[in-house]
Amino acid sequence: MTVERAEPTSQEIRRVALEMFATKGYDATSVRDIAAVVGIRGATLYHHFGSKEEILWDLTLSALEAISSSWKDAERQLGTDDPTERLRAFVRAHVVFHIRRQTDAAIVNAQLNRLSPDHFQEAVALRSRYERELTAIVESCLATGQHTVPDLRVTVFAILQMTTAVTTWYQPDGPLSVDELASVYAELAVKMIA
């Protein structure tokens, strides 16, 4: 699914574009801007990516696959089918991803509407598949009879919004480690479905 671009220049283009899109915004960043920081000519960049939108798509797809993969890794390590533990694991993985890969998360959360219509639809489908994972977990929690929520969809979106927003305020030199903070968020999510 992801196009592998192992050449050092492609990786540098990705790194620079990711940072520039996150800080300046997609619209305010030109191919020439990216190329200048990488140290190549604008025309040379097109040997690696066909367009600026292709770079954004590559970054978006990579981030969406990475967040899904982080949840799947956490799920494999879980060792239980208990729905509440699965909710905790999902939330921890989501928070850790958003803290450790803040810039990637910023691209997906803020620049998605800059993708071409086809890429936008594919990105929304991938994001929806990820959101359905959380929905299924919350549904499993509710099915135990030990939890209740006023509205399933709103609850899922509230959990996602709460955990995604950590990128707006988290500071590495704060009083909690990434894992400690992720565990706090996991407990908050469980309390949301109490």
Side-chain angles (χ1 to χ4, degrees):
M1 190 184 238
T2 301
V3 177
E4 291 297 322
R5 300 182 195 298
E7 312 91 55
T9 302
S10 291
Q11 292 307 318
E12 184 65 3
I13 291 167
R14 290 179 90 257
R15 186 192 67 73
V16 168
L18 178 64
E19 190 62 38
M20 293 181 88
F21 291 165
T23 56
K24 291 177 62 176
Y26 177 78
D27 292 333
T29 302
S30 71
V31 168
R32 285 184 183 176
D33 293 336
I34 297 167
V37 173
V38 172
I40 59 175
R41 292 179 305 142
T44 303
L45 187 141
Y46 290 108
H47 291 290
H48 300 274
F49 293 93
S51 66
K52 183 172 81 164
E53 191 273 342
E54 186 181 318
I55 300 169
L56 179 62
W57 171 238
D58 185 77
L59 295 169
T60 301
L61 182 59
S62 175
L64 288 168
E65 288 176 342
I67 195 169
S68 181
S69 180
S70 71
W71 156 236
K72 292 300 179 188
D73 290 345
E75 185 179 35
R76 276 191 294 279
Q77 295 173 16
L78 194 53
T80 181
D81 289 336
D82 178 76
T84 305
E85 290 307 314
R86 291 183 77 233
L87 176 60
R88 285 184 176 105
F90 183 96
V91 169
R92 278 193 298 268
H94 191 80
V95 169
V96 168
F97 176 87
H98 277 79
I99 290 173
R100 293 200 173 133
R101 297 191 57 183
Q102 285 183 346
T103 310
D104 297 88
I107 292 298
V108 173
N109 295 323
Q111 307 295 332
L112 207 61
N113 62 346
R114 299 299 187 251
L115 293 169
S116 69
D118 288 344
H119 287 154
F120 177 81
Q121 286 180 358
E122 191 172 342
V124 168
L126 290 169
R127 190 173 64 181
S128 293
R129 186 178 322 143
Y130 178 74
E131 290 168 359
R132 282 193 302 275
E133 292 276 340
L134 178 56
T135 301
I137 293 167
V138 174
E139 286 174 332
S140 295
C141 290
L142 299 177
T144 67
Q146 298 173 357
H147 304 280
T148 184
V149 297
D151 184 284
L152 175 64
R153 188 165 190 241
V154 171
T155 302
V156 168
F157 286 147
I159 291 169
L160 287 170
Q161 185 62 39
M162 172 183 77
T163 54
T164 299
V166 71
T167 62
T168 63
W169 64 267
Y170 173 77
Q171 294 295 319
D173 58 351
L176 297 176
S177 71
V178 172
D179 290 333
E180 289 169 332
L181 185 59
S183 291
V184 169
Y185 269 83
E187 292 311 309
L188 289 171
V190 170
K191 289 182 186 308
M192 288 176 74
I193 64 165

